[in-house]
Amino acid sequence: MVRDPNVQAGTMPASAGWPVDAHDAQVSARARHNWPLLAFVALIPLQNLYLGYLPSGPGGLNFLNLMFVFSLLAAWAHGGGLVRGSGLNGWTAAYIGMSVIALLVADSRLQDSSGHMNILKDQLLAVGFIYLAQMSASSVAELRALLLASLLPWPYLLMIVANQHGAVDSWHYSHDLRISGTFIELGANEFAAFCTTAMLVAFGLLLGSRAASRWRLLFGAAALFAGAGVVLTYSRTAYVAALLGIALIVLLRRGGMRLLLPAALALALLPVLLPNSVMERFDSIAVESGTRDESTELRFAFWEVAREQVSRNPMLGTGFHSFQHAEVNPLRTDTHNFFLRELAEKGFVGAAVLLGLLLCMARMLWFALRTSAPGSFANGLALGLAGAFVALLTANGFGDRFTHYPMIAHFWLYLGLLLRALSLPTVPAEVASNGPR
């Protein structure tokens, strides 16, 4: 990804700052929002609503399918295209293609692979958010609206988390405290991963963008709400991933060294501020043999089965969603390690595609951090996504935090928004120099 060679001296990217008064009026007048996508972005984490109250129609006409189709049609009508030059769109397409090949491999190996196509379809709809975001956000106002839509559910999400936690709250930790929020088909770990991504992106935008006061208040509130979700799900993996993400954001922020002391003080105060049950859960983290709990110990058994399957099917693996079948895994469980499962189910070919995709993400984030203007929306979003990216890599070592659609859709959305923010048209420097509203 390179800068536009046609950008002349005296101009700066529109994404270098939040819209100023003169420019914002022009952008808002041109904005044609993708309303189905805005609704889809706000609703997709609220699995309790559309699965609990919206009936499915014939032929797979459910909420997820219909909203994606409506969003895609609106994106095409919008006329926006994809951002070129990063390589990320190509690697994403390769990942989708490899997933389809893995589906065919599973069909040839398993006695019963019914339902696999629907599972893959739901996963790929979430991946498609990276394309929908680019096609639908051709101006600052449209980009800003999609970001706002992703933050709007948080007051409701916090209310659900508080109600669930209040029903099972106790001084000492017990498994009953593992609430899953609005993710009625998933568990606490998956909901915690969603909260971690939201918290880190909001935190990065709060530290990295010089937005108007109302936006900074929104970012701060979203970070606090999502942070409460991380804490109250009692996911040890999420605790570690979130702390690593926060540390990276602080270190990468320009002038971040000045924040090290306040961050260290905040970390030291955590045992005082957090409930005793949370500290008991955090203290139970252990990976050394002889000190691991049953949940951690079982993971090593799953990983051994996966390694055996890799040795037997090295090139294309055992096929999509096959590891939980008795023909592949007598324990009939997930690997509890996304990377190892990709290797077992898609072989070295699929693992190479995944590695290329992740490296491309890392390169794009590094480019955005180096080239975006300090205080810009692009810089703040890149900062938050960098923390979320590292958190996802960490969490995927102990589970699947990459394929469940309500959990990962916003991550793909933010990647698409960042790609678009880096490619927005230029505006005169004298206009941009007025500063953010």
Side-chain angles (χ1 to χ4, degrees):
M1 183 187 295
V2 296
R3 285 189 177 278
D4 188 343
N6 297 318
V7 175
Q8 301 175 353
T11 64
M12 65 186 301
S15 59
W18 288 87
V20 296
D21 293 336
H23 185 242
D24 192 45
Q26 299 172 4
V27 170
S28 298
R30 294 197 305 268
R32 293 186 297 127
H33 297 300
N34 184 337
W35 294 106
L37 180 59
L38 288 171
F40 198 17
V41 167
L43 291 172
I44 196 167
L46 308 184
Q47 200 178 50
N48 61 322
L49 297 183
Y50 54 80
L51 291 185
Y53 298 99
L54 298 180
S56 297
L61 294 179
N62 57 26
F63 167 83
L64 192 67
N65 299 335
L66 289 175
M67 289 302 296
F68 186 86
V69 170
F70 291 152
S71 299
L72 182 59
L73 291 175
W76 277 334
H78 187 276
L82 301 180
V83 178
R84 299 181 179 180
S86 70
L88 187 53
N89 289 322
W91 278 108
T92 302
Y95 175 75
I96 293 173
M98 189 63 221
S99 298
V100 174
I101 292 173
L103 179 67
L104 299 177
V105 172
D107 287 342
S108 68
R109 289 182 179 272
L110 302 177
Q111 294 180 357
D112 181 15
S113 60
S114 59
H116 286 198
M117 183 176 293
N118 281 332
I119 295 172
L120 179 60
K121 179 263 299 176
D122 290 348
Q123 292 180 11
L124 296 185
L125 291 186
V127 176
F129 271 66
I130 189 175
Y131 299 126
L132 292 175
Q134 295 171 71
M135 296 168 66
S136 305
S138 56
S139 71
V140 173
E142 292 158 358
L143 187 152
R144 187 173 57 181
L146 285 167
L147 173 66
L148 178 60
S150 74
L151 301 179
L152 280 179
W154 273 106
Y156 173 76
L157 286 165
L158 182 64
M159 181 188 72
I160 296 295
V161 168
N163 288 341
Q164 290 181 355
H165 184 262
V168 295
D169 188 23
S170 65
W171 176 257
H172 293 290
Y173 171 76
S174 71
H175 191 71
D176 293 336
L177 292 170
R178 305 296 311 283
I179 61 176
S180 57
T182 57
F183 288 9
I184 61 175
E185 286 194 341
L186 299 171
N189 289 328
E190 289 76 23
F191 185 69
F194 168 76
C195 294
T196 300
T197 295
M199 179 191 70
L200 293 172
V201 169
F203 184 59
L205 285 165
L206 179 64
L207 288 188
S209 62
R210 291 194 294 268
S213 298
R214 61 182 181 275
W215 280 97
R216 295 180 64 81
L217 181 63
L218 178 63
F219 296 150
L224 286 175
F225 292 173
V230 174
V231 169
L232 297 180
T233 50
Y234 292 85
S235 171
R236 294 172 297 183
T237 302
Y239 292 165
V240 175
L243 289 174
L244 288 175
I246 291 172
L248 183 68
I249 289 173
V250 170
L251 291 175
L252 289 178
R253 181 183 181 270
R254 289 176 172 87
M257 297 300 292
R258 296 194 299 268
L259 297 176
L260 287 180
L261 181 58
L265 291 175
L267 186 62
L269 288 174
L270 281 181
V272 178
L273 299 175
L274 295 178
N276 179 72
S277 54
V278 173
M279 297 311 302
E280 287 182 350
R281 181 62 169 166
F282 194 89
D283 290 340
S284 69
I285 297 175
V287 295
E288 295 181 0
S289 180
T291 63
R292 302 188 291 251
D293 62 9
E294 182 181 5
S295 175
T296 305
E297 193 69 44
L298 285 173
R299 280 173 164 81
F300 286 85
F302 307 150
W303 297 347
E304 183 59 35
V305 175
R307 283 193 288 267
E308 291 176 1
Q309 289 300 328
V310 171
S311 65
R312 295 175 185 174
N313 307 279
M315 294 307 297
L316 293 178
T318 58
F320 174 77
H321 202 64
S322 61
F323 193 78
Q324 297 184 31
H325 286 254
E327 302 103 301
V328 175
N329 175 17
L331 301 175
R332 303 191 68 173
T333 60
D334 186 63
T335 58
H336 291 77
N337 182 309
F338 170 72
F339 305 114
L340 193 53
R341 193 187 72 196
E342 286 285 290
L343 183 59
E345 293 187 346
K346 297 180 182 177
F348 287 108
V349 176
V353 171
L354 177 64
L355 179 61
L357 174 64
L358 296 176
L359 289 175
C360 190
M361 287 182 187
R363 186 184 67 171
M364 188 269 287
L365 291 171
W366 182 246
F367 171 87
L369 288 169
R370 286 192 302 109
T371 60
S372 57
S376 68
F377 168 78
N379 189 258
L381 183 56
L383 198 62
L385 267 175
F389 179 68
V390 168
L392 275 178
L393 292 180
T394 302
N396 275 304
F398 298 92
D400 177 2
R401 312 291 186 264
F402 204 75
T403 64
H404 302 294
Y405 66 87
M407 179 194 72
I408 200 64
H410 280 186
F411 179 78
W412 288 104
L413 172 79
Y414 294 139
L415 286 174
L417 292 181
L418 180 57
L419 282 173
R420 178 55 67 194
L422 294 170
S423 68
L424 286 175
T426 58
V427 296
E430 59 270 18
V431 175
S433 63
N434 291 332
R437 291 194 298 169

